[in-house]
Amino acid sequence: MRQFELESVEAIDQAVRHRRVHDGQAFIAGGTTLLDLVKLDVMQPEKVVDVTRLPLKRIELLDDGRLKIGALVSNTELAKHEIVMRDYPVISEALLSGASTGLRNMASTGGNVMQRTRCPYFRDPDMPCNKREPGTGCSAIDGINRNHAVLGTSEQCIATHPSDMCVGMVAAGATLVLEGPDGQREVAFEDYHLLPGDTPEREHDLKPGELITHVILDAPRGGGQHYLKLRDRASYEFALASCAAVVNLDGDNIGEARLALGGVATKPWRADAAEAALKGQPATQESFERAAEAAFSDAVAYSHNGFKITLGKQAIVRALRDATARARA
């Protein structure tokens, strides 16, 4: 493991200035992803800047009903916050389904957004990986790909995005606030993570020198909400398929549904086709199954992960069923 210089900052502009001036620099908050990758020699920063003293640990209810979350709010604090549990249960459930209690206590909101794939080929410096070293090839395509993506893939990369929280936030609706050398800008949460395409090394819309300062959740959508995670074991395991569902009813029909998928895609996946298939339809098993088919109409299976298409459809149907039951309660 390469040694690195560690420095601490206490102001956002100081952190941005460091990031702009120093190449080969990484920020650290909880460190639950970064330190693992440093130990594996996958990431080799020359300098690591500790941002845990930045004033980004508050959760604030804005005048327009949105919820502003500092990037340093821990996953545990966010999951257990009374407003999140009441108005955004899909996010609370997603957070509590991930990792372990100890990791959730350490992991930050911003770090969760920025976490890297758990693809074993990405995490092994001796294996070709276009995400880690562009142009070397994707070992997973012809390798062991049981845990890899079936949506949003390319010939360059089929690695899944690992976050549960991000899936919940896509379903709930959110905006990221970024601070950089050119000032502050906002990015729609569902647009922040990028598809691999021909540049799998570019995972997100974060410009050089920028730092995530806040996540702002849309005003509560109400209705019934549920996050369902299907995995090999009941705890401390990444999703094989997951679904975050937010359902608003209009009588016996679906007025609006928002769906996001995890474990099956290269980014937190908004299931637009499924949402369109549900709008105005009866809130029935048949409607849920048609929506699930629409969600995976463009899925591409590889040698070991074809079961994820069936599993993902089941996740959608079950999440919709439970969210609808809550909407009716």
Side-chain angles (χ1 to χ4, degrees):
M1 182 179 73
R2 177 188 292 181
Q3 293 185 340
F4 54 79
E5 178 185 354
L6 179 64
E7 186 169 338
S8 180
V9 294
E10 298 184 6
I12 294 173
D13 60 347
Q14 186 183 7
V16 168
R17 184 166 61 251
H18 271 278
R19 186 68 176 267
R20 182 178 71 247
V21 171
H22 300 283
D23 292 331
Q25 177 181 283
F27 291 132
I28 187 169
T32 54
T33 294
L34 175 64
L35 293 181
D36 281 350
L37 296 178
V38 168
K39 292 174 184 177
L40 293 169
D41 283 335
V42 173
M43 295 182 69
Q44 300 176 339
E46 296 175 3
K47 174 179 281 191
V48 173
V49 177
D50 179 358
V51 296
T52 56
R53 297 183 182 180
L54 297 182
L56 300 174
K57 298 180 180 180
R58 295 181 60 192
I59 299 176
E60 308 170 67
L61 184 61
L62 302 180
D63 291 340
D64 59 5
R66 296 184 299 162
L67 193 66
K68 186 176 184 180
I69 303 160
L72 294 178
V73 172
S74 75
N75 286 187
T76 295
E77 182 181 357
L78 183 59
K80 296 293 188 179
H81 195 276
E82 60 179 351
I83 295 177
V84 176
M85 295 176 68
R86 183 190 68 210
D87 295 337
Y88 306 95
V90 69
I91 294 175
S92 180
E93 292 173 6
L95 282 162
L96 293 173
S97 74
S100 64
T101 302
L103 284 173
R104 290 195 297 268
N105 289 343
M106 288 294 296
S108 66
T109 299
N112 196 318
V113 175
M114 292 294 294
Q115 68 175 300
R116 311 293 298 275
T117 181
R118 266 49 177 199
C119 171
Y121 299 109
F122 170 75
R123 295 168 68 88
D124 184 349
D126 293 328
M127 298 299 296
C129 172
N130 288 322
K131 185 180 288 292
R132 189 184 66 251
E133 190 175 351
T136 58
C138 176
S139 297
I141 289 178
D142 295 317
I144 299 173
N145 48 45
R146 177 179 183 269
N147 293 327
H148 288 73
V150 295
L151 292 169
T153 60
S154 74
E155 295 180 355
Q156 305 302 318
C157 183
I158 61 172
T160 51
H161 192 274
S163 175
D164 294 293
M165 181 197 78
C166 290
V167 178
M169 287 185 173
V170 168
T175 301
L176 280 166
V177 181
L178 312 176
E179 189 83 29
D182 298 324
Q184 188 179 97
R185 68 185 181 102
E186 296 185 354
V187 178
F189 195 96
E190 65 182 270
D191 297 331
Y192 179 73
H193 297 96
L194 305 178
L195 294 173
D198 293 327
T199 55
E201 72 278 9
R202 292 190 64 236
E203 298 179 354
H204 41 67
D205 183 20
L206 192 70
K207 295 179 181 178
E210 287 188 325
L211 173 73
I212 297 173
T213 61
H214 297 88
V215 177
I216 303 178
L217 302 181
D218 291 356
R221 299 179 183 278
Q225 303 181 23
H226 184 51
Y227 182 76
L228 176 68
K229 182 176 182 177
L230 304 178
R231 46 189 165 173
D232 283 325
R233 58 186 181 187
S235 66
Y236 200 49
E237 185 64 273
F238 294 98
L240 292 171
S242 67
C243 180
V246 180
V247 175
N248 284 278
L249 297 177
D250 181 9
D252 292 330
N253 294 338
I254 297 172
E256 180 187 33
R258 288 177 63 97
L259 295 174
L261 305 177
V264 294
T266 54
K267 58 176 285 185
W269 191 262
R270 178 86 180 270
D272 300 288
E275 293 177 5
L278 287 167
K279 190 172 182 63
Q281 297 301 306
T284 61
Q285 179 82 8
E286 291 74 17
S287 295
F288 302 159
E289 290 175 354
R290 285 195 297 270
E293 291 292 333
F296 284 89
S297 61
D298 294 327
V300 177
Y302 296 85
S303 53
H304 303 112
N305 69 353
F307 75 96
K308 281 196 171 190
I309 297 176
T310 301
L311 196 66
K313 292 176 184 177
Q314 292 173 355
I316 290 174
V317 171
R318 289 174 57 186
L320 282 170
R321 182 191 64 205
D322 292 347
T324 299
R326 294 181 183 185
R328 285 173 169 155

